Amino acid sequence: MDMYQPVTVKAEPYPFEFVPGQCALLIIDMQRDFLEAGGFGTMLGNDVSQLRRTIEPNRKLLAAWRSAGLQVIHTREGHRPDLSDLPPAKKLRGRGKTGIGDAGPMGRILVRGEPGHDIIPELYPLPSEPVIDKPGKGAFFATDLHAILQNRAIQQLIVTGVTTEVCVHTTIREANDRGYDCLVPEDCVGSYFPQFQEIGLHMIKAQGGIFGWVSQSSHILAAIR
Ligand code: C5J
């Protein structure tokens, strides 16, 4: 593949054109606590199957992206073990009996280094792929993501992961304000709430692509083959 020959992907609201060498696959928070039965997500009463359907399309896209020699970045939502980066408001919100930092089914909930905080084995990062540990919903807040993208001359992002209306959306909005183009393959993003999945994707591509483009992983695979 010619890294600097633009590639066009079928997308809405219109085709997405990207330069492979300047486009990273950004996989948001595919962590065990959100996706595995018995994790934090389930504990909150969510149906993880709504997220698990994204694993296989992400696995295929990641494999193709890696074999084309393109750049991959992963993120994880979580906090320092001493919780010094956990805003009190985030800790209290939800009013659950068990929250961030407490003992959960897979170690302390959303704490770095705990089993539940780690990325699911199906999409495990390679040692060469940066992993951004983020304390917030957006991947740019209080992280070095922007610096890494700038240093690698990345201008465009394929954004996948969970959850569509929370960390994926927040990251796309942050990326927009920093000048990045974002394409979202809808089969590679998931929400616990089907109605939020649907409306979240509409919000990205509405008004001529106010936050970016929406497509399917099959269209991206076809474009990079
Ligand atoms: C949430 C996320 N939903 N990764 N985190 O709390 O979207």
Side-chain angles (χ1 to χ4, degrees):
M1 160 174 282
D2 180 340
M3 292 293 182
Y4 293 96
Q5 180 69 37
V7 169
T8 302
V9 179
K10 189 174 167 202
E12 290 182 298
Y14 54 88
F16 178 74
E17 194 171 281
F18 72 95
V19 176
Q22 297 174 343
C23 184
L25 175 61
L26 179 64
I27 307 178
I28 305 290
D29 300 358
M30 291 293 278
Q31 292 163 255
R32 297 185 59 202
D33 249 336
F34 293 128
L35 284 125
E36 291 190 359
F40 182 44
T42 322
M43 236 180 74
L44 294 175
N46 295 306
D47 171 12
V48 290
S49 68
Q50 296 289 342
L51 306 193
R52 292 193 65 79
R53 59 160 192 80
T54 69
I55 296 175
E56 190 52 20
N58 264 293
R59 197 191 58 72
K60 286 194 181 134
L61 181 59
L62 177 59
W65 204 258
R66 281 174 175 162
S67 52
L70 304 180
Q71 305 198 55
V72 180
I73 300 178
H74 306 257
T75 73
R76 298 185 292 206
E77 180 178 353
H79 297 274
R80 296 169 183 260
D82 66 5
L83 305 182
S84 55
D85 60 353
L86 175 62
K90 184 175 178 185
K91 169 77 179 163
L92 294 175
R93 207 168 309 125
R95 296 185 172 182
K97 269 209 310 268
T98 315
I100 297 172
D102 297 335
M106 290 189 228
R108 291 178 68 204
I109 294 164
L110 293 188
V111 169
R112 295 175 193 161
E114 299 289 338
H117 173 263
D118 211 353
I119 292 175
I120 56 169
E122 295 90 333
L123 302 176
Y124 211 75
L126 296 177
S128 59
E129 295 168 352
V131 178
I132 307 291
D133 276 320
K134 61 187 187 64
K137 303 304 182 196
F140 289 85
F141 170 69
T143 73
D144 53 5
L145 176 60
H146 187 54
I148 291 173
L149 297 175
Q150 297 283 295
N151 294 339
R152 296 184 165 197
I154 301 291
Q155 292 168 10
Q156 295 177 299
L157 300 168
I158 309 281
V159 186
T160 74
V162 300
T163 60
T164 307
E165 77 281 12
V166 184
C167 291
V168 172
H169 240 268
T170 308
T171 299
I172 289 171
R173 288 164 186 243
E174 290 180 327
N176 259 272
D177 287 345
R178 288 165 177 79
Y180 299 97
D181 285 333
C182 297
L183 172 70
V184 180
E186 62 174 85
D187 52 332
C188 293
V189 294
S191 168
Y192 296 122
F193 309 98
Q195 68 275 32
F196 292 167
Q197 169 80 1
E198 193 189 338
I199 204 72
L201 292 166
H202 272 299
M203 288 167 75
I204 292 166
K205 65 186 177 187
Q207 302 182 71
I210 196 152
F211 295 125
W213 289 257
V214 174
S215 184
Q216 300 285 340
S217 60
S218 57
H219 298 322
I220 303 173
L221 293 175
I224 61 172
R225 260 190 203 120

